[in-house]
Amino acid sequence: MMKYRSILASLGRTAAVLCLAAAIPQAINAEDYSKYYQCELPVALTPVAEPSIPAYEISLTDFGGVGDGITMNTEAFAKAMVHLAEKGGGRLNVPGGIWYTGPIRFESNVELHLDRGALVLFSDNLADYPVSRSDWEGVPTYRTVSPLSARGKHDIAITGFGTFNGNGQCWRPVKKAKTTAPQWTALTAKGCVSKKGDVWFPNERIREIHEDKSLIARIHNADSAELEYFHDFLRPVLLSFIECENVLLRDATFENSPAWNIHPLLCENLIIDNVNIRNPWYTQNGDGLDVESCNRVLVVNSRFDVGDDAICIKSGRDKEGRDRGVPCRDVLIEGCTVYHGHGGFVIGSEMSGGCRDIVARDCLFIGTDVGLRFKSTRGRGGVVENIHVDNVKMTDIAGEALIFDLYYGIKPGAPVPPVTEETPCFRNIRLSNINCRSARRAALFNGLPEMPLKNISVTSSRFTAESGFHLANTDSLTLRDVAITTPSEPITRGEGVTNLLLD
């Protein structure tokens, strides 16, 4: 039954007054997010604020929703969103149950609230997701519509302790090397495998396009007939919010995405608080959170267990990213835990619009492939600067605890080009109180000969690893109060190391 959330001082108030009260925006279960900015920060960041949602409530069951795991609820969600838009916004409650549905498109001034025990399970029928103009890996292109999407909206929220499951196994390829023999046998009982027999695909069309680069190259400029052919290959991210303002994700679980899990693009004033972001560890392109070209972002108290990079900062790829020219900036990440992931906290490799004024602190990485990962390559361009990372604990890191690699995807021995707008630049980055208990290598600093890493410092930090720091093409690196426990040389130098300060 529809109801007003605000408590009325008198039941005798007129209907006009009641309607007016229901339309007054207010913060949802207001949190004091200003507290994260009250202690001294190494860079000035603008505090974020929660979205304001009118105090009006409805339930999905009011619009024919049935949480039996069988009934399709796409129409119920759509009707509820239209109703809230007509009312000026409000809260859509989803009770406990299994809510099977196609894509959910948000309207402005709307909070989608999942009760504890509510599972929103997205359809495994790929035809339920139409193709639309979107963005993938920093380049404008076509993708299928995301299960959760909004474009150009404001004051939107997802709250509650329920779960969103993207049914990603219906879309994703799986590499044989990432499975056990019994898993591979079970997987290949359906779908199809690559010509080499080393990759499984959900259907033949996805396999065909995946193995033909000439087909993939046609996607960006495809006509309607070609897009119909490409459809199944264009797997979406689970949540795509593009050009939105005042966004909150709190308490919910987001899991099993077709590609990246959470992807805010060109958003302003974004809060992600106490969420769980999960993908199977073998998930192809199974990133956790990719914050791209966003301004004023707060990510706190959240947990990541994913198949690719966990917390990732991006700003577009190559010429498209430079032409967009929107850096990712004013970002604060605090109190997050990463379990499996290719990188715990990552910048790049699509950072052509630049990244600046970013603080990450008080985080824990347990068993990631790499701890802190900064990556780019020739052709990207862009400047990454004013990055501050403090108090990060790590253990059981499969690769490097810390890596700066501007040779991402470049074969050794490539000719050295002149510096142009395509040359990436990483500078003015401060790392402090980094404690890694176990890693294969403590750190790799691998800048470009034509553009060395510049003004990087690591202070008050401890590393225990099989090998130590390896430095190449690095200018003005400071290592102060850094202990490196390793059976090999603590620090080795390659070419292009200048102005190294050891203190």
Side-chain angles (χ1 to χ4, degrees), residues 40-51:
E40 184 176 350
L41 290 170
V43 59
L45 300 178
T46 304
V48 297
E50 291 186 74

Side-chain angles (χ1 to χ4, degrees), residues 46-212:
T46 304
V48 297
E50 291 186 74
S52 293
I53 307 294
Y56 175 70
E57 273 188 41
I58 58 174
S59 172
L60 189 62
T61 57
D62 297 326
F63 298 86
V66 179
D68 60 3
I70 299 173
T71 302
M72 179 61 75
N73 289 283
T74 310
E75 185 176 356
F77 275 108
K79 287 181 176 179
M81 287 291 178
V82 169
H83 175 83
L84 288 173
E86 292 173 346
K87 292 290 186 179
R91 182 184 196 184
L92 172 57
N93 286 311
V94 180
I98 301 176
W99 305 89
Y100 188 61
T101 183
I104 300 172
R105 300 177 191 251
F106 279 73
E107 298 290 345
S108 295
N109 302 311
V110 168
E111 173 192 359
L112 177 59
H113 179 85
L114 270 58
D115 287 348
R116 198 180 293 273
L119 168 63
V120 175
L121 178 63
F122 288 100
S123 170
D124 57 2
N125 180 6
L126 306 192
D128 289 337
Y129 303 84
V131 174
S132 68
R133 197 70 186 171
S134 187
D135 187 281
W136 174 242
E137 294 187 332
V139 176
T141 187
Y142 289 99
R143 305 296 290 181
T144 48
V145 169
S146 290
L148 295 161
S149 70
R151 182 185 287 267
K153 304 300 181 181
H154 64 85
D155 295 284
I156 54 179
I158 295 175
T159 64
F161 291 94
T163 298
F164 297 91
N165 185 299
N167 239 326
Q169 71 280 357
C170 302
W171 300 86
R172 300 186 304 257
V174 178
K175 295 179 179 178
K176 184 178 182 179
K178 293 185 176 182
T179 66
T180 64
Q183 287 172 334
W184 183 253
T185 299
L187 193 62
T188 54
K190 56 183 179 180
C192 57
V193 297
S194 63
K195 293 177 181 178
K196 293 182 179 180
D198 58 348
V199 181
W200 174 86
F201 299 93
N203 64 45
E204 185 64 33
R205 181 62 56 80
I206 297 174
R207 183 204 65 78
E208 180 182 358
I209 299 170
H210 186 276
E211 294 188 335
D212 190 335

Side-chain angles (χ1 to χ4, degrees), residues 39 73 182 206 242 245 270 288 316 409 443:
C39 59
N73 289 283
I206 297 174
I242 302 174
E245 296 184 13
L270 166 68

Side-chain angles (χ1 to χ4, degrees), residues 28 48 62 66 68 140 143 150 179 224 278 308-309 321-322 327 399 417 444 464 488:
I28 315 163
V48 297
D62 297 326
V66 179
D68 60 3
R143 305 296 290 181
T179 66
S224 58
R278 310 192 313 154
D308 208 311
D309 290 330
R322 295 193 300 273
L444 171 65
T464 301
S488 60

Side-chain angles (χ1 to χ4, degrees), residues 331-499:
V331 179
L332 175 57
I333 298 162
E334 180 173 322
C336 293
T337 300
V338 179
Y339 299 97
H340 187 273
H342 289 185
F345 170 72
V346 182
I347 294 183
S349 68
E350 302 94 52
M351 38 60 67
S352 302
C355 303
R356 66 174 187 263
D357 300 335
I358 297 170
V359 177
R361 63 189 185 186
D362 302 336
C363 292
L364 174 65
F365 305 153
I366 305 172
T368 57
D369 292 351
V370 173
L372 300 170
R373 188 182 193 191
F374 300 81
K375 55 181 178 176
S376 188
T377 190
R378 290 174 178 145
R380 292 284 192 264
V383 177
V384 173
E385 61 183 349
N386 300 337
I387 314 298
H388 300 263
V389 181
D390 180 61
N391 192 30
V392 173
K393 315 301 184 197
M394 315 178 200
T395 188
D396 299 326
I397 305 302
E400 289 85 3
L402 168 62
I403 186 169
F404 288 84
D405 188 8
L406 273 62
Y407 271 82
Y408 188 69
I410 300 177
K411 293 182 179 180
V416 177
V419 173
T420 68
E421 66 174 10
E422 297 182 358
T423 308
C425 176
F426 283 65
R427 65 193 184 195
N428 303 331
I429 299 173
R430 306 287 178 258
L431 313 174
S432 58
N433 298 299
I434 311 300
N435 190 332
C436 178
R437 178 184 178 275
S438 174
R440 181 176 58 82
R441 178 160 55 183
L444 171 65
F445 291 78
N446 194 26
L448 294 169
E450 69 273 23
M451 183 64 74
L453 303 168
K454 180 76 171 178
N455 290 333
I456 314 294
S457 71
V458 183
T459 62
S460 303
S461 297
R462 305 290 179 266
F463 300 86
T464 301
E466 295 175 21
S467 61
F469 279 40
H470 180 75
L471 315 179
N473 298 310
T474 302
D475 180 20
S476 301
L477 170 65
T478 298
L479 304 179
R480 177 175 291 114
D481 186 24
V482 174
I484 305 169
T485 303
T486 176
S488 60
E489 288 293 321
I491 299 175
T492 59
R493 303 190 196 189
E495 296 182 351
V497 179
T498 58
N499 301 310

